[in-house]
Amino acid sequence: MTELLKKHNAISVADLAFPPREGGYAKGHETREQILHAALQLLVDHGYRAMSMRRVAAACGMKLGNLTYHFPTREDLVRALLDAVIASYEVEFSAISQNPDQTPEHHLELYCELVLEDIRTKKTTRVFPELWSLTNHDPFVLDRVHELYARARAPLEAIIAKMRPDLDQSQCAALALFISASMEGMTIFAGYEKPFEPRMPALEAIATRAFIDIIRSIAAEDIPD
Amino acid sequence: MTELLKKHNAISVADLAFPPREGGYAKGHETREQILHAALQLLVDHGYRAMSMRRVAAACGMKLGNLTYHFPTREDLVRALLDAVIASYEVEFSAISQNPDQTPEHHLELYCELVLEDIRTKKTTRVFPELWSLTNHDPFVLDRVHELYARARAPLEAIIAKMRPDLDQSQCAALALFISASMEGMTIFAGYEKPFEPRMPALEAIATRAFIDIIRSIAAEDIPD
Amino acid sequence: MTELLKKHNAISVADLAFPPREGGYAKGHETREQILHAALQLLVDHGYRAMSMRRVAAACGMKLGNLTYHFPTREDLVRALLDAVIASYEVEFSAISQNPDQTPEHHLELYCELVLEDIRTKKTTRVFPELWSLTNHDPFVLDRVHELYARARAPLEAIIAKMRPDLDQSQCAALALFISASMEGMTIFAGYEKPFEPRMPALEAIATRAFIDIIRSIAAEDIPD
Amino acid sequence: MTELLKKHNAISVADLAFPPREGGYAKGHETREQILHAALQLLVDHGYRAMSMRRVAAACGMKLGNLTYHFPTREDLVRALLDAVIASYEVEFSAISQNPDQTPEHHLELYCELVLEDIRTKKTTRVFPELWSLTNHDPFVLDRVHELYARARAPLEAIIAKMRPDLDQSQCAALALFISASMEGMTIFAGYEKPFEPRMPALEAIATRAFIDIIRSIAAEDIPD
DNA sequence: AATGAATGAGCGTTCATTCAT
DNA sequence: TATGAATGAACGCTCATTCAT
């Protein structure tokens, strides 16, 4: 397996990030980690429906009774997994923010590159559509996911504000939202094993350029409130 | 219920399109119509998992046995619904294609307006994320959905080709793909009952302008193969 | 396919015998024939459970509704099939009875040969165990099957009576019963695709000889009432 | 209920034999015992089809969910029952083998007596025809059943070898097979509630004598390979 | 911390049967 | 004759959950 394949394909423990439960023993924490990892693996490989308590337990080589000890209800498990997944993405975004000594344009390019690269990973391609469908009927998931997106847009808004000091915060936010949404949309077309996966380089070139152009050229009064 | 609400909210029979079965009675066709409509309603209102054979039958005021008479397996029902939903969107796209006497720019604007308006409807906001998540593990759905997207991009490619006769077909296709993906991504952020639903006008303005700009300005050699 | 394989393997229309229903049209009779043939085929190939109304109809290229027109209930079908199957075996037995100019010993040998050859056919190996299991809980089947066996034993009893004029009818019947039961038992061990199918010649030699010996040698007073 | 009726009629826990599951509680083993017993009872009283998961659970006064906890699939249940039934018969056969100080003839007589007595029990009369019909379409059952028969023939082959030291192993096996098959066939005619149940004594007398005669008198060269 | 046992609800599917067309 | 439509019951199975051990 090449490095590239590994990068886009495999799910590793590092794909999840979560703090030890306060007051829990070390072993319990390890077990929780194992459970969440198995759950993510199932979610990625076989979809949300396959992430049942039984299958997660089986994937951990653990009995159902023990799983329910650590996560009494399925909702508990789902939310813990959501937290862990989101936390793992926040690690990524914090990396971008701390990129000093860059022109805003270059910073934006790096941002897009990183996001679009992530979109092509198996994990992101598989997890996010599941989350999107969940957001339609679960307000809790809706909140958490958009909280994540808000954090993801923060560095973007900062870049835009630097490029266009004449725009107000709401206008910068709208531009950042457009850019973020635009890239998310590519998941479906050029994500992992999607029909236009090989066209991602073209999409990235077009997108990056379109984003810089629109930020540079749009007039403040052309953005409705 | 206001016109606007109706437009974005309600599911009507017109949201589905499918041909009568050969050799069947009129009553049978009506029943199948009723079933597909109920299935779509459940999908939109409560998600894919809620679209169970039992609930669909109950929603039709029909016994389970009769549902399985018309759709012997759940897969049959799902595929028939997929066909009907896709057919209903194809009706929409055929309308766009036949827009003569327009500058390509204006034509593009109308196209974006129509797509983004559709994205805000309850039906589209709810159905497509379910489809996206299905495409991850069901190759049949993947095929059908991307067949639909291909048809949706066709008028877009024609417009781009008019605006940029110097670009080859593959380059036009890449631009169309970017535009289409970009708009699809907005479903999650500004679709029906999504957090940025009220910001759709801003997104539309930015997007439309960004799309026209990038088509106009990108150099042929800046689009990788 | 060799003659031998055909003989032991295939189900042909000739394997069923049944008279036209009185007052029925010719076409209806043909359809009934077709149905019964398909039912037998299913019974032989996939067992009694597979002989459902739906599968029989499908195997005939006919709709369920039409099958229920010809056989309103499953029991009707089962009993008609039972009749037809039994009638087809009676054709065979009548052939044996009319074997003049034979010593009783030779007649017995021919009888055993014919029965054991029949046992090795796919049809008999498959159908009779199903019938035997049905007889345990369906008195109607029990009656019909033992009626058939009674008819099958008739020529046997005649042969025995010729060989042992000193025995009374009940004693001859007991010997015939032993011989018949003995051969039926071989179905399970040396019938079609059974583990000892290739050992049938040895079984036949042993059985034939054992039968002749016991008839010849047993004392009347050694057969309890 | 007289002793005789009890002997031939009732199903008791002793009719099944199976080991406790490792790691399981005592209660769990009791439950599995109860389930297998109920399943056998249903099989004997109402046939294989009646042995459904629901009916077995109901017969145990247990919920379906708990039955599937102990036997996740119907196949698991069927195979466990098959194992337990077979194990119970093996207990019987081991008893026969250990019969010292007998002439082979007397030993054979005892063997036949025991088998034919067993055949008249409700359990054997009902269970074996179901097994025979299952062997036609389930290779697993075919294997298990013929494994049992092989074990049942072992003492028979030993007896025959003693009576006829001049015969080789294959010839002894053929004779044992004939005897075993011959007696099995009587199930259908003279088993529990079968039409010739009262004639079993006559059949036993004839059979025992015929078996001893054929073993004694057959020439080695009269048994084909 | 972990397993064993049990419940109750729901799933997709198959079936025999009835009746209108 | 034959098909289309509908019902009601049962099937094997999976599931989230609860609780005793």
Side-chain angles (χ1 to χ4, degrees):
Chain A
M1 191 183 262
T2 68
E3 265 306 300
L4 190 99
L5 271 179
K6 253 159 101 185
K7 194 171 198 175
H8 287 177
N9 207 330
I11 308 292
S12 70
V13 181
D15 289 318
L16 288 175
F18 43 95
R21 209 171 35 154
E22 47 189 71
Y25 298 128
K27 183 162 186 206
H29 181 63
E30 265 175 44
T31 306
R32 282 174 63 93
E33 256 188 39
Q34 192 195 359
I35 291 168
L36 291 172
H37 187 253
L40 178 61
Q41 194 78 260
L42 278 167
L43 179 65
V44 164
D45 286 338
H46 302 101
Y48 184 74
R49 276 173 48 198
M51 206 183 77
S52 70
M53 297 293 271
R54 273 167 171 74
R55 289 204 222 183
V56 170
C60 297
M62 168 188 301
K63 296 303 155 83
L64 180 59
N66 196 24
L67 177 55
T68 62
Y69 171 77
H70 290 284
F71 298 95
T73 74
R74 185 174 198 263
E75 210 181 356
D76 291 328
L77 174 59
V78 168
R79 296 195 172 187
L81 180 61
L82 194 59
D83 285 344
V85 166
I86 284 179
S88 76
Y89 282 100
E90 283 174 352
V91 170
E92 280 193 52
F93 290 121
S94 66
I96 314 180
S97 310
Q98 296 150 348
N99 244 351
D101 307 326
Q102 304 273 357
T103 64
E105 282 83 359
H106 191 210
H107 208 159
L108 179 63
E109 274 170 20
L110 288 176
Y111 181 93
C112 292
E113 193 186 328
L114 188 134
V115 168
L116 293 178
E117 197 175 311
D118 178 74
I119 275 177
R120 291 171 68 189
T121 62
K122 190 177 182 182
K123 177 185 153 199
T124 296
T125 301
R126 297 286 173 87
V127 168
F128 276 81
E130 300 287 353
L131 294 181
W132 299 337
S133 89
L134 287 177
T135 59
N136 277 328
H137 305 104
D138 185 336
F140 175 83
V141 178
L142 185 69
D143 274 7
R144 302 288 286 119
V145 167
H146 281 284
E147 205 181 302
L148 170 65
Y149 278 130
R151 266 191 263 252
R153 281 194 309 274
L156 209 45
E157 288 171 10
I159 293 168
I160 295 167
K162 264 191 210 157
M163 290 171 72
R164 292 291 304 268
D166 59 309
L167 299 182
D168 65 25
Q169 206 260 327
S170 155
Q171 291 164 327
C172 290
L175 280 166
L177 183 60
F178 164 69
I179 291 170
S180 179
S182 190
M183 288 193 292
E184 290 302 306
M186 295 179 197
T187 310
I188 314 146
F189 297 92
Y192 179 77
E193 284 182 342
K194 296 300 175 198
F196 298 99
E197 189 182 9
R199 297 295 279 151
M200 188 57 105
L203 285 173
E204 186 175 330
I206 295 170
T208 310
R209 185 152 173 181
F211 298 156
I212 291 177
D213 281 2
I214 190 68
I215 296 172
R216 279 272 159 253
S217 68
I218 198 160
E221 62 269 23
D222 285 345
I223 306 175
D225 287 332
Chain B
M1 194 181 264
T2 69
E3 264 308 298
L4 190 98
L5 268 180
K6 252 160 103 185
K7 196 169 195 176
H8 288 178
N9 205 333
I11 308 293
S12 71
V13 179
D15 289 316
L16 290 173
F18 62 100
R21 202 194 300 198
E22 53 185 61
Y25 298 162
K27 192 180 179 192
H29 181 66
E30 268 173 44
T31 303
R32 278 189 295 281
E33 204 170 52
Q34 194 193 356
I35 291 169
L36 290 174
H37 186 252
L40 179 60
Q41 196 75 259
L42 278 166
L43 179 65
V44 163
D45 287 338
H46 302 102
Y48 184 74
R49 276 174 49 201
M51 206 184 76
S52 73
M53 298 293 272
R54 272 169 176 77
R55 287 205 225 181
V56 170
C60 297
M62 169 188 300
K63 302 300 169 171
L64 182 57
N66 195 26
L67 176 54
T68 65
Y69 170 73
H70 290 286
F71 299 96
T73 72
R74 185 175 197 260
E75 208 181 356
D76 290 327
L77 174 59
V78 168
R79 297 195 171 187
L81 182 60
L82 195 58
D83 285 344
V85 166
I86 284 178
S88 76
Y89 282 100
E90 283 174 351
V91 170
E92 280 194 51
F93 290 120
S94 67
I96 313 179
S97 310
Q98 296 149 350
N99 244 354
D101 308 325
Q102 303 275 356
T103 64
E105 281 83 357
H106 190 208
H107 206 156
L108 179 64
E109 275 170 18
L110 288 176
Y111 181 93
C112 292
E113 192 187 329
L114 190 134
V115 169
L116 294 177
E117 196 175 312
D118 177 75
I119 275 176
R120 291 172 66 191
T121 61
K122 189 177 184 183
K123 178 186 153 199
T124 296
T125 300
R126 297 286 174 85
V127 168
F128 276 81
E130 300 288 351
L131 294 181
W132 297 336
S133 89
L134 287 178
T135 59
N136 277 329
H137 304 104
D138 185 336
F140 176 83
V141 177
L142 184 69
D143 273 8
R144 301 286 288 118
V145 167
H146 281 284
E147 205 182 302
L148 171 64
Y149 279 130
R151 266 190 261 251
R153 281 194 310 273
L156 209 45
E157 289 171 10
I159 292 168
I160 295 167
K162 264 191 208 155
M163 291 173 70
R164 291 293 301 271
D166 59 309
L167 298 183
D168 65 25
Q169 206 258 326
S170 155
Q171 293 164 329
C172 291
L175 282 165
L177 184 60
F178 164 68
I179 292 171
S180 180
S182 191
M183 289 194 292
E184 290 301 309
M186 295 180 196
T187 310
I188 313 147
F189 297 92
Y192 178 79
E193 285 183 343
K194 295 301 173 198
F196 299 98
E197 190 182 8
R199 297 295 279 150
M200 187 57 104
L203 285 173
E204 186 175 330
I206 295 169
T208 310
R209 180 145 180 186
F211 298 155
I212 292 177
D213 281 1
I214 189 71
I215 297 172
R216 279 271 161 253
S217 67
I218 198 160
E221 62 268 23
D222 286 345
I223 306 176
D225 287 331
Chain C
M1 190 182 264
T2 68
E3 265 306 300
L4 189 100
L5 271 180
K6 254 159 100 183
K7 196 170 196 175
H8 288 177
N9 207 330
I11 308 292
S12 71
V13 181
D15 289 318
L16 290 174
F18 43 95
R21 208 173 32 155
E22 48 189 69
Y25 299 126
K27 183 162 185 207
H29 181 64
E30 266 176 43
T31 306
R32 284 174 61 92
E33 258 188 36
Q34 192 196 357
I35 291 169
L36 291 172
H37 187 253
L40 178 61
Q41 195 78 260
L42 278 167
L43 179 65
V44 164
D45 286 338
H46 302 103
Y48 184 74
R49 276 173 49 199
M51 207 183 76
S52 71
M53 298 292 272
R54 273 167 171 75
R55 289 203 222 185
V56 170
C60 297
M62 170 188 299
K63 296 302 156 85
L64 180 59
N66 196 23
L67 177 55
T68 63
Y69 171 77
H70 290 285
F71 298 95
T73 74
R74 185 174 198 263
E75 208 181 358
D76 291 327
L77 174 60
V78 168
R79 296 194 172 188
L81 181 61
L82 194 59
D83 285 343
V85 166
I86 283 178
S88 76
Y89 282 100
E90 283 174 352
V91 170
E92 279 193 52
F93 290 121
S94 67
I96 313 179
S97 310
Q98 296 147 350
N99 243 353
D101 308 326
Q102 304 274 358
T103 65
E105 281 83 357
H106 191 209
H107 206 157
L108 180 64
E109 275 170 17
L110 288 177
Y111 181 93
C112 293
E113 193 186 328
L114 188 134
V115 168
L116 293 177
E117 197 175 312
D118 178 73
I119 275 175
R120 290 173 67 190
T121 62
K122 190 177 183 183
K123 179 186 151 198
T124 295
T125 300
R126 297 285 174 86
V127 167
F128 276 81
E130 300 287 352
L131 294 181
W132 297 337
S133 89
L134 286 178
T135 59
N136 277 329
H137 306 104
D138 185 336
F140 176 83
V141 178
L142 184 68
D143 275 7
R144 302 286 287 119
V145 167
H146 281 285
E147 205 183 303
L148 170 64
Y149 278 129
R151 266 191 263 251
R153 281 194 310 275
L156 210 45
E157 288 170 10
I159 292 167
I160 295 167
K162 264 192 209 156
M163 290 171 71
R164 291 292 302 271
D166 59 309
L167 299 182
D168 65 26
Q169 207 260 327
S170 156
Q171 292 165 327
C172 290
L175 281 165
L177 183 61
F178 164 68
I179 292 170
S180 179
S182 190
M183 289 194 293
E184 290 301 308
M186 295 178 196
T187 310
I188 313 146
F189 297 91
Y192 179 77
E193 285 183 342
K194 295 301 174 199
F196 298 100
E197 190 182 9
R199 296 297 279 151
M200 187 57 105
L203 285 174
E204 187 175 330
I206 295 169
T208 310
R209 176 136 189 196
F211 298 156
I212 291 178
D213 281 2
I214 189 70
I215 296 173
R216 278 271 160 253
S217 68
I218 198 159
E221 61 268 27
D222 286 345
I223 306 176
D225 287 330
Chain D
M1 190 183 265
T2 69
E3 262 309 298
L4 189 96
L5 269 180
K6 252 160 102 184
K7 195 171 199 176
H8 288 177
N9 205 334
I11 308 292
S12 70
V13 180
D15 289 315
L16 289 174
F18 61 102
R21 202 194 300 196
E22 53 186 62
Y25 297 164
K27 192 180 180 192
H29 182 68
E30 268 173 43
T31 304
R32 279 190 295 281
E33 203 170 56
Q34 194 192 357
I35 290 168
L36 290 174
H37 186 251
L40 178 60
Q41 196 76 259
L42 277 166
L43 179 65
V44 163
D45 287 339
H46 302 102
Y48 184 74
R49 277 174 50 200
M51 206 183 77
S52 73
M53 298 292 273
R54 270 169 178 75
R55 288 205 224 182
V56 170
C60 298
M62 169 188 301
K63 304 298 170 173
L64 182 57
N66 196 25
L67 176 54
T68 64
Y69 170 74
H70 290 286
F71 298 95
T73 73
R74 184 176 197 259
E75 209 180 356
D76 291 327
L77 174 60
V78 168
R79 296 195 171 186
L81 182 60
L82 195 58
D83 285 344
V85 166
I86 284 178
S88 76
Y89 282 100
E90 283 175 352
V91 170
E92 280 193 51
F93 289 120
S94 66
I96 313 178
S97 310
Q98 297 150 349
N99 244 352
D101 309 326
Q102 303 275 356
T103 65
E105 282 83 358
H106 190 209
H107 207 158
L108 179 64
E109 275 171 18
L110 288 177
Y111 181 93
C112 293
E113 192 186 329
L114 189 134
V115 169
L116 294 177
E117 195 175 313
D118 178 75
I119 275 176
R120 291 172 67 189
T121 61
K122 189 176 184 184
K123 177 185 154 199
T124 296
T125 300
R126 297 287 174 86
V127 168
F128 276 81
E130 301 287 351
L131 294 181
W132 297 336
S133 89
L134 287 178
T135 59
N136 277 329
H137 304 104
D138 185 336
F140 176 82
V141 177
L142 184 70
D143 273 8
R144 301 288 286 117
V145 167
H146 281 284
E147 205 183 301
L148 171 65
Y149 279 131
R151 267 191 262 251
R153 281 194 309 274
L156 209 44
E157 288 170 11
I159 293 168
I160 295 167
K162 264 191 208 155
M163 291 172 70
R164 292 292 302 271
D166 59 310
L167 298 182
D168 64 27
Q169 205 259 329
S170 155
Q171 292 164 329
C172 291
L175 281 164
L177 183 61
F178 164 68
I179 292 170
S180 179
S182 191
M183 290 194 290
E184 289 301 307
M186 296 179 195
T187 310
I188 313 146
F189 297 91
Y192 179 77
E193 283 182 346
K194 295 301 172 197
F196 299 99
E197 189 181 8
R199 297 296 278 151
M200 189 56 105
L203 285 174
E204 187 175 331
I206 295 169
T208 310
R209 187 157 169 174
F211 298 156
I212 292 177
D213 282 1
I214 189 70
I215 296 172
R216 279 270 159 255
S217 67
I218 198 160
E221 62 267 24
D222 286 346
I223 306 176
D225 288 330

